[in-house]
Amino acid sequence: MIQIKAYNVNKTCWNCPAAIFKGNVDFRACGQSMEKVKELKDPEYVIMIECARRPELGHFEPTISFEQCTEWEYREEINCYLLKDMRVMILGIDGYLGWTLALRLGRLGCKISGIDNYFRRDCVKEKGALSIVPIASIDERLQTAQEVLGIDITFREIDILDRQKLGEFLKEMKPEAIVHYAECPSAPYSMVDCDHAIKVQYNNVIGTLGLLFLMKEMVPETSLIKLGTLGEFGSPLTGRPLFEGIFPADAVLNYGGREWSLGGELTPRDPVSFYHVSKVQDTFNVYEACKYWWLRSYDVMQGVIYGVHTDEIAADQRLRTRLDADEWFGTVVNRFVIQGILGLPLTVYGQGEQIRGFIALDDAMQCMVRLIASPPEPGQYDVVNQVSGLYKIKKLADTVAKVGNERFGLNVRIQRVENPRVEADFHPFEVISKKLPKTFGFAPKLSLEEEITNMFTLLTQPHIKKRIEETAHVFWPVTRWDGEKRESEVIEVYAPGTKQNGGFQPQLDTGKELVVKETQKRVKQ
Ligand code: USQ
């Protein structure tokens, strides 16, 4: 069998959060890259570091690779090096993704700490909804993680806006990576009214800004894995691809007979709700902090997540992560499966020709682990598009209905309802997502059908079905982007597989072959 080299084998102390920079150059303030400093070839300007984990080594140049370093261990299950007992802090650890990631990283031997103020539990409750999958209290979760998986998690109930408490916790834990999930993730919730829009933007934007200042003061070497969203880019009607946040080196702007390079500039953003606007503002704040203070960050432009399964959360029912189906916090695939179980026709908004990027829960966790294991360089702000497939909404509905009908004996139907959102019905959609597969070794493990099957299997259990019935009153869309206070009306109800698949076709460019579906022509990238 050919052993594929670990993708982070050549990273060095330069990327390691344990490297504390010493020596004559305070390059965090001077704005020079290591390459430039090296070019000076003046012994006075040699970059020296001290290892926080091995101070006995004294001062040395940051050239030891992860392969050579005794603190980085090869981990076969993810085929990469991982810092021994790496200290990872998860902000928003009680949420859908935060809890799932805590268990995944804990199982890999990371030392996990986390904060949460139950923002998500409270918002869902405010809307009269509940998590369809029953979830334990945080105390029970922590105790069960210890008992069943042997994972110790240090938890504090802290609001991300409380800088005093968060600062103290950072000082105590000294995280080597911070995963920032402590944001309100809902577009419809941000569109309810002025109070909700302000609540979402305040929590997300001010929370992140405060965090950046704290990181600068207390843990400048720590990498920040920040959750953005693919929705920051919108769906350009010109068909311009959704690049990974920054234009590639050979991108050119041609205007009025003149040409300029766009390489290295942030790509345009066209957010699709006040929630998505908060993510765009985060992007700029994180980008600036990396520029001014040499913080380091990966901004993860994640597609819509779906699913219920990872090995860790399935290990015990008290370890399950939440799953929402209500109009505000349920995402589309999760909602469709739950609607199907209830016997409600799946609510496709508008034409259903909208195309979005998607990724299963387990695959998203794999991406996050890989990003944490391969930290950015000092001052590096980088963006990855985190998706494993692009689908039209009506195709998703067909797939959910097919799995439900063929494998679970249901009679799932589909309904088109007036779109409560302002979004393009028909649009081209080409997403570039090369970095995760090529640079970080990500390979999706789950097909859409497989994870939908996992969902039906779990959610058709009688005690969960009962919860679905109890929550049904909050499934119908009532939050309209145009501000009108009325429910969306049904346009038509149809059987799965009876609608033609025309219009624009999604294109996902992972750096391999781009399949242009209409013609089945293969274009070499
Ligand atoms: N949609 C339906 N029927 C429904 C629910 C949604 O047709 O019952 C459609 C929407 O109109 C939209 C698409 O499905 O075109 C996705 O909607 P969604 O509610 O699943 O996801 P969205 O509002 O876009 O937000 C979710 C997460 C958010 C994340 C984002 C990634 O809540 O945190 O940032 O997905 S992305 O969509 O790529 O921006």
Side-chain angles (χ1 to χ4, degrees):
M1 201 177 85
I2 307 166
Q3 173 67 37
I4 302 168
K5 252 187 160 184
Y7 67 89
N8 60 353
V9 64
N10 293 324
K11 299 263 174 193
T12 65
C13 310
W14 187 238
N15 297 78
C16 180
I20 303 168
F21 293 92
K22 299 280 171 184
N24 297 319
V25 184
D26 180 3
F27 54 87
R28 251 184 227 116
C30 80
Q32 296 185 78
S33 74
M34 181 167 85
E35 293 313 312
K36 279 213 178 122
V37 175
K38 269 187 188 161
E39 274 168 26
L40 295 171
K41 293 215 172 69
D42 181 333
E44 273 210 14
Y45 288 92
V46 166
I47 291 176
M48 301 295 276
I49 61 159
E50 190 180 3
C51 177
R53 289 176 163 239
R54 300 185 63 201
E56 72 279 8
L57 294 177
H59 293 182
F60 58 97
E61 286 189 62
T63 52
I64 301 174
S65 71
F66 287 2
E67 193 178 20
Q68 296 161 329
C69 177
T70 53
E71 293 298 303
W72 287 82
E73 286 176 331
Y74 179 71
R75 304 300 298 263
E76 205 179 342
E77 61 272 53
I78 42 177
N79 186 30
C80 70
Y81 290 85
L82 191 60
L83 195 53
K84 248 192 271 175
D85 300 325
M86 188 172 193
R87 298 187 298 275
V88 184
M89 183 179 283
I90 300 176
L91 312 177
I93 197 171
D94 188 48
Y96 179 43
L97 306 179
W99 181 245
T100 313
L101 186 64
L103 299 185
R104 170 63 52 86
L105 290 169
R107 209 200 62 204
L108 286 166
C110 295
K111 293 279 167 258
I112 307 298
S113 58
I115 66 159
D116 209 293
N117 66 338
Y118 315 120
F119 183 100
R120 174 65 168 268
R121 290 191 195 226
D122 291 346
C123 291
V124 171
K125 204 160 149 199
E126 172 211 318
K127 287 288 166 201
L130 47 73
S131 168
I132 296 299
V133 174
I135 50 171
S137 68
I138 192 76
D139 290 339
E140 199 177 0
R141 284 182 150 185
L142 298 173
Q143 203 183 331
T144 314
Q146 216 301 316
E147 267 170 39
V148 177
L149 301 174
I151 299 171
D152 282 315
I153 297 171
T154 310
F155 173 78
R156 292 280 191 288
E157 183 181 337
I158 296 176
D159 182 341
I160 188 160
L161 295 170
D162 187 340
R163 292 205 303 283
Q164 175 73 26
K165 283 199 186 144
L166 180 56
E168 283 161 15
F169 195 44
L170 284 171
K171 214 187 256 174
E172 184 187 338
M173 291 293 131
K174 296 185 186 60
E176 291 163 311
I178 295 176
V179 178
H180 182 12
Y181 283 142
E183 297 205 333
C184 177
S186 167
Y189 189 80
S190 75
M191 300 302 293
V192 169
D193 57 19
C194 183
D195 286 342
H196 287 79
I198 290 174
K199 180 176 175 183
V200 171
Q201 292 209 353
Y202 195 80
N203 179 79
N204 293 4
V205 177
I206 305 304
T208 302
L209 187 60
L211 171 70
L212 292 167
F213 273 86
L214 287 173
M215 286 185 69
K216 167 196 175 243
E217 261 172 58
M218 293 173 187
V219 284
E221 287 85 15
T222 300
S223 57
L224 174 64
I225 317 294
K226 162 76 180 64
L227 196 69
T229 166
L230 208 57
E232 284 188 31
F233 304 128
S235 47
L237 294 176
T238 57
R240 170 174 52 73
L242 272 52
F243 295 106
E244 298 192 84
I246 296 165
F247 278 113
D250 54 355
V252 170
L253 173 69
N254 190 322
Y255 176 74
R258 291 185 293 162
E259 277 191 355
W260 296 267
S261 167
L262 285 174
E265 289 196 32
L266 292 182
T267 61
R269 265 63 178 169
D270 187 10
V272 288
S273 71
F274 290 128
Y275 149 74
H276 287 90
V277 172
S278 75
K279 294 283 188 176
V280 172
Q281 183 150 345
D282 281 347
T283 285
F284 283 95
N285 285 340
V286 176
Y287 176 78
E288 296 304 315
C290 292
K291 193 162 82 185
Y292 307 152
W293 307 323
W294 286 71
L295 297 188
R296 45 189 103 183
S297 180
Y298 292 136
D299 208 347
V300 182
M301 301 302 161
Q302 186 172 266
V304 187
I305 301 244
Y306 59 92
V308 288
H309 184 84
T310 68
D311 287 347
E312 298 83 20
I313 56 177
D316 188 291
Q317 60 172 348
R318 292 164 297 169
L319 293 178
R320 283 280 176 197
T321 197
R322 64 176 309 118
L323 190 81
D324 298 286
D326 59 274
E327 181 208 352
W328 304 277
F329 291 94
T331 51
V332 65
V333 181
N334 296 350
R335 273 168 64 76
F336 282 177
V337 173
I338 290 163
Q339 290 170 353
I341 292 170
L342 191 67
L344 183 75
L346 315 186
T347 53
V348 168
Y349 295 166
Q351 297 285 343
E353 285 278 336
Q354 316 90 302
I355 305 168
R356 294 289 181 271
F358 293 85
I359 185 163
L361 182 62
D362 191 74
D363 285 334
M365 296 300 107
Q366 187 203 143
C367 291
M368 297 302 276
V369 169
R370 290 177 177 281
L371 293 169
I372 291 165
S374 196
E377 297 179 0
Q380 185 183 354
Y381 168 82
D382 208 351
V383 183
V384 296
N385 286 345
Q386 184 176 288
V387 283
S388 62
L390 310 181
Y391 304 99
K392 284 187 185 179
I393 302 302
K394 70 180 190 195
K395 156 86 171 121
L396 289 176
D398 271 347
T399 308
V400 169
K402 187 165 172 267
V403 174
N405 295 348
E406 290 176 6
R407 298 195 202 160
F408 293 84
L410 300 170
N411 178 21
V412 181
R413 290 171 68 74
I414 302 170
Q415 59 187 324
R416 286 205 304 113
V417 300
E418 266 183 296
N419 197 337
R421 306 185 181 199
V422 174
E423 58 186 3
D425 250 344
F426 290 93
H427 59 91
F429 204 60
E430 178 177 341
V431 176
I432 313 286
S433 178
K434 295 184 185 177
K435 291 182 199 164
L436 277 162
K438 291 186 89 176
T439 314
F440 296 94
F442 167 60
K445 291 200 175 131
L446 280 161
S447 70
L448 180 66
E449 287 80 358
E450 276 170 312
E451 188 53 21
I452 288 174
T453 306
N454 285 336
M455 295 177 78
F456 273 115
T457 306
L458 176 72
L459 304 177
T460 45
Q461 291 179 16
H463 72 290
I464 297 187
K465 222 179 140 190
K466 192 159 162 274
R467 289 170 76 88
I468 297 177
E469 282 156 13
E470 282 165 15
T471 325
H473 62 285
V474 283
F475 289 178
W476 197 256
V478 294
T479 305
R480 296 180 58 86
W481 265 227
D482 62 11
E484 271 186 56
K485 300 286 171 215
R486 65 175 180 89
E487 293 191 0
S488 289
E489 284 179 21
V490 178
I491 301 168
E492 62 170 336
V493 181
Y494 63 92
T498 56
K499 290 278 162 193
Q500 267 194 337
N501 186 18
F504 292 104
Q505 297 304 315
Q507 293 182 23
L508 180 60
D509 181 358
T510 57
K512 293 172 189 155
E513 279 184 329
L514 183 65
V515 182
V516 183
K517 287 215 176 106
E518 315 93 298
T519 57
Q520 290 304 311
K521 193 170 85 184
R522 283 174 183 273
V523 183
K524 193 83 188 155
Q525 287 299 289

